[in-house]
C-alpha cells in the first residue's frame, strides 16, 4: 500500500462536495466466546462478539511483553538469566541461571516457542522483578487505551488479576505490528538463536499454523491455559489491507480466523479507488494563462470498506509564477467515523508566468530593503 500524507493547510480553500459509497456483506458465526476483527489502519470494527468481555488471555500476553522489551532496550542488549526468572512452570526455551541472552533472542523465544522462561527473564532484566514489570505493563496498556485490561505477570499464567478483552488485544496488536522488529519476528516460522553456558544454538518453531494455512497471515501469537481456553491473535495482509483478528476461548480458533478474514476482506472493494476531478481549474492573477488545470500527484493505491467519502480542497486563486507540479490542493478520503483514510496531493498540470516583470523586480527590491532594515535593527 502506498501511503502519502499531505497537511492540507491552505490559505484560501474551495471545498468540493464529497461522495458516499456503501458496501454490504453476509454475517458469520465463530466458536469463540469473544472475538473481534478490525482494520489495522483505521481501527474500524468489522466483526465483534462480546469484544469488551474480560477474559483470560494466556500466552497472547507475550505480545505486550515483547513490545515492551523492544521499546525499552536495544535488541542486541544482553540480559543475564537469574534463578528466580527461570524457575517458572509451563513452556520453556531451556534457559538456565547465568545464561546470557539478547533481548531480540528473548522476543523470538516468546513469540515463536511461547517460552515462559523467556518472558520472566525479560521482566527481571528490564524491571528487576515480576511485580515491577507488571506495573510497567499496566502503565503501558493504559497509555495505549486498553481500558479493560489488567496484567499480573509477563507470560500469561492464570491469575484472577490477569485479563483483557478481544477489543483491547486487537488495539495492542495494531500498535505492535507497527514495530518492524516485532512484525518480522512474529512472522518467522522458525529461527536459530544462541545462548547458554557454553553458548549453543537452538532452533525455535512458531506455533502459529495460520502462517502456513491462511493466505496473508504474518503473525501474531497463540495461547492456551485450562482456565482461558484457546486464545489466538493474528494479523493478515491482502491487497494492501491489513486486518487483525482476536479470538478468546475458542475450540476451533484456526477455522474461526480463516472465516473472519474471508468475511473481512470480502467487505473491501476489489478495484482501486479513483479520484474523479470534474475538469477542475484554478484562476491565476496577472498571468499569461487565466487558469491552470489540476491533476493528482499520484493515483491512490488503497482500498476501503463500508461507507466512505472524499472531499476536494483547492486554492481559490493563485499568483504567478505557477510551475507544473506545484501543490495547489488535495483530495481527502474519510471513513464513516470521519477518520482520514488517505490524502492525495493535487498539483498544477500547467505553467503560468507573470505578465508584469517589473512587479517581480519591485518585490525583489522590497525584500532587499527589508533585509537591510533587519540588519540595522540588530
Amino acid at each position: 500500500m502506498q501511503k502519502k500524507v499531505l497537511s492540507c493547510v491552505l490559505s484560501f480553500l474551495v471545498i468540493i462536495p464529497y461522495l458516499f459509497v456503501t458496501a454490504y456483506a453476509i454475517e458469520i458465526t465463530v466458536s469463540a466466546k469473544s472475538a473481534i476483527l478490525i482494520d489495522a489502519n483505521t481501527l474500524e470494527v468489522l466483526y465483534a462478539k462480546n469484544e469488551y468481555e474480560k477474559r483470560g488471555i494466556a500466552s497472547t500476553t507475550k505480545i505486550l511483553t515483547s513490545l515492551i522489551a523492544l521499546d525499552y532496550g536495544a535488541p542486541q542488549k544482553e540480559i543475564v538469566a537469574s534463578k528466580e526468572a527461570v524457575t517458572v512452570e509451563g513452556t520453556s526455551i531451556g534457559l538456565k541461571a547465568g545464561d546470557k541472552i539478547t533481548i531480540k533472542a528473548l522476543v523470538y523465544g516468546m513469540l515463536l516457542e511461547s517460552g515462559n522462561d523467556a518472558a520472566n527473564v525479560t521482566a527481571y532484566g528490564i524491571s528487576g522483578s515480576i511485580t515491577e514489570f507488571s506495573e510497567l505493563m499496566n502503565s503501558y496498556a493504559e497509555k495505549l487505551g486498553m481500558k479493560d485490561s489488567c496484567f499480573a505477570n509477563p507470560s500469561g499464567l492464570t491469575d484472577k488479576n490477569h485479563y483483557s478483552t478481544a477489543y483491547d488485544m486487537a488495539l495492542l496488536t495494531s500498535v505492535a505490528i507497527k514495530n518492524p522488529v516485532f512484525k518480522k519476528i512474529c512472522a518467522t516460522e522458525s529461527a536459530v538463536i544462541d545462548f547458554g553456558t557454553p553458548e549453543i544454538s537452538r532452533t525455535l518453531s512458531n506455533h502459529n499454523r495460520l502462517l502456513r494455512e491462511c493466505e496473508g497471515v504474518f503473525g501474531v501469537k497463540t495461547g492456551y491455559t485450562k482456565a482461558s481456553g484457546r486464545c489466538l491473535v493474528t494479523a493478515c495482509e491482502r491487497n494492501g489491507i491489513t486486518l487483525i483478528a482476536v479470538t478468546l476461548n475458542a475450540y476451533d480458533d484456526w477455522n474461526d480466523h480463516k472465516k473472519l478474514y474471508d468475511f473481512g476482506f470480502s467487505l473491501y472493494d476489489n478495484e482501486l479507488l479513483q479520484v474523479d476531478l470534474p475538469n477542475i481549474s484554478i484562476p491565476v492573477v496577472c498571468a499569461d494563462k487565466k487558469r491552470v488545470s489540476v491533476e493528482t500527484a499520484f493515483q491512490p493505491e488503497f482500498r476501503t470498506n463500508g461507507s466512505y467519502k472524499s472531499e476536494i480542497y483547492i486554492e481559490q486563486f493563485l499568483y504567478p509564477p505557477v510551475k507544473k507540479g506545484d501543490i495547489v490542493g488535495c483530495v481527502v478520503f474519510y471513513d464513516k467515523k470521519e477518520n482520514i483514510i488517505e490524502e492525495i496531493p493535487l498539483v498544477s498540470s500547467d505553467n503560468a508566468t507573470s505578465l508584469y516583470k517589473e512587479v517581480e523586480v519591485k518585490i525583489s527590491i522590497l525584500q532587499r530593503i527589508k533585509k537591510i532594515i533587519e540588519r540595522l535593527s540588530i
Side-chain angles (χ1 to χ4, degrees):
M1 177 191 295
Q2 184 177 7
K3 178 71 177 175
K4 301 280 187 179
V5 179
L6 170 68
S7 178
C8 296
V9 182
L10 302 174
S11 53
F12 300 97
L13 293 176
V14 175
I15 303 176
I16 298 177
Y18 48 72
L19 167 71
F20 280 104
V21 178
T22 304
Y24 302 92
I26 60 172
E27 291 296 328
I28 60 168
T29 58
V30 295
S31 72
K33 298 294 184 181
S34 296
I36 196 168
L37 179 71
I38 69 166
D39 185 307
N41 181 37
T42 66
L43 303 183
E44 182 177 0
V45 177
L46 307 177
Y47 174 87
K49 176 184 178 182
N50 301 323
E51 70 273 29
Y52 299 114
E53 195 168 284
K54 297 174 182 178
R55 293 185 174 276
I57 55 173
S59 283
T60 60
T61 298
K62 297 183 178 84
I63 296 172
L64 179 56
T65 305
S66 296
L67 183 59
I68 291 174
L70 294 173
D71 280 354
Y72 277 76
Q76 297 306 319
K77 179 181 178 181
E78 283 192 330
I79 292 177
V80 179
S82 65
K83 182 179 179 180
E84 294 83 2
V86 298
T87 305
V88 60
E89 62 180 290
T91 52
S92 169
I93 64 171
L95 282 164
K96 296 179 181 179
D99 285 348
K100 291 182 179 180
I101 184 169
T102 65
I103 286 178
K104 188 175 182 179
L106 286 168
V107 174
Y108 270 105
M110 287 187 281
L111 296 182
L112 272 63
E113 288 283 0
S114 200
N116 290 344
D117 55 348
N120 270 17
V121 169
T122 299
Y124 276 91
I126 292 176
S127 298
S129 71
I130 299 298
T131 300
E132 291 293 326
F133 189 76
S134 297
E135 291 179 4
L136 176 59
M137 294 175 77
N138 287 314
S139 174
Y140 202 100
E142 184 179 358
K143 290 177 181 178
L144 294 181
M146 299 172 69
K147 298 179 181 179
D148 297 307
S149 300
C150 185
F151 297 91
N153 61 70
S155 60
L157 291 176
T158 301
D159 188 297
K160 66 178 181 180
N161 295 316
H162 192 94
Y163 54 82
S164 187
T165 67
Y167 178 86
D168 279 3
M169 293 304 293
L171 183 63
L172 167 64
T173 303
S174 71
V175 175
I177 61 176
K178 291 177 183 177
N179 184 304
V181 179
F182 180 99
K183 185 176 181 180
K184 179 182 177 180
I185 293 175
C186 75
T188 302
E189 291 192 37
S190 64
V192 177
I193 63 173
D194 301 319
F195 65 88
T197 308
E199 186 176 87
I200 62 173
S201 298
R202 290 173 171 82
T203 300
L204 308 179
S205 298
N206 201 318
H207 296 175
N208 188 354
R209 280 173 37 186
L210 294 187
L211 293 175
R212 301 172 291 278
E213 296 181 2
C214 188
E215 177 194 354
V217 169
F218 62 84
V220 176
K221 188 70 190 76
T222 59
Y224 172 78
T225 64
K226 285 185 179 180
S228 65
R230 295 180 62 85
C231 301
L232 182 61
V233 179
T234 62
C236 183
E237 183 177 355
R238 297 177 189 172
N239 296 320
I241 298 294
T242 300
L243 304 183
I244 294 168
V246 179
T247 53
L248 303 178
N249 198 348
Y251 61 82
D252 194 18
D253 52 359
W254 306 120
N255 286 323
D256 282 353
H257 283 240
K258 291 176 184 178
K259 282 184 185 180
L260 286 168
Y261 287 131
D262 287 343
F263 168 81
F265 287 113
S266 74
L267 299 175
Y268 288 78
D269 295 336
N270 292 322
E271 300 296 327
L272 292 175
L273 290 179
Q274 298 295 319
V275 178
D276 183 20
L277 299 177
N279 299 318
I280 295 176
S281 62
I282 303 176
V284 186
V285 179
C286 298
D288 60 346
K289 288 185 179 178
K290 292 183 178 180
R291 308 182 73 90
V292 292
S293 300
V294 174
E295 62 185 10
T296 56
F298 60 89
Q299 282 299 317
E301 296 184 7
F302 65 96
R303 294 167 172 81
T304 187
N305 73 292
S307 298
Y308 69 88
K309 68 178 183 180
S310 63
E311 291 185 341
I312 298 174
Y313 299 81
I314 59 171
E315 293 279 12
Q316 193 172 22
F317 55 85
L318 301 169
Y319 292 103
V322 178
K323 296 181 180 179
K324 183 177 181 180
D326 284 351
I327 294 176
V328 294
C330 64
V331 182
V332 184
F333 288 88
Y334 301 88
D335 63 21
K336 61 186 179 183
K337 293 183 179 180
E338 299 295 322
N339 297 313
I340 294 177
I341 302 172
E342 184 83 344
E343 299 181 35
I344 310 296
L346 294 177
V347 298
S348 170
S349 56
D350 301 309
N351 294 315
T353 58
S354 174
L355 290 174
Y356 306 102
K357 291 185 179 180
E358 63 271 19
V359 172
E360 296 177 7
V361 173
K362 289 179 181 178
I363 292 174
S364 177
I365 292 171
L366 288 172
Q367 288 175 340
R368 292 176 192 171
I369 294 172
K370 183 180 179 181
K371 289 183 179 180
I372 292 171
I373 293 173
E374 288 175 349
R375 286 199 297 269
L376 291 173
S377 63
I378 295 176

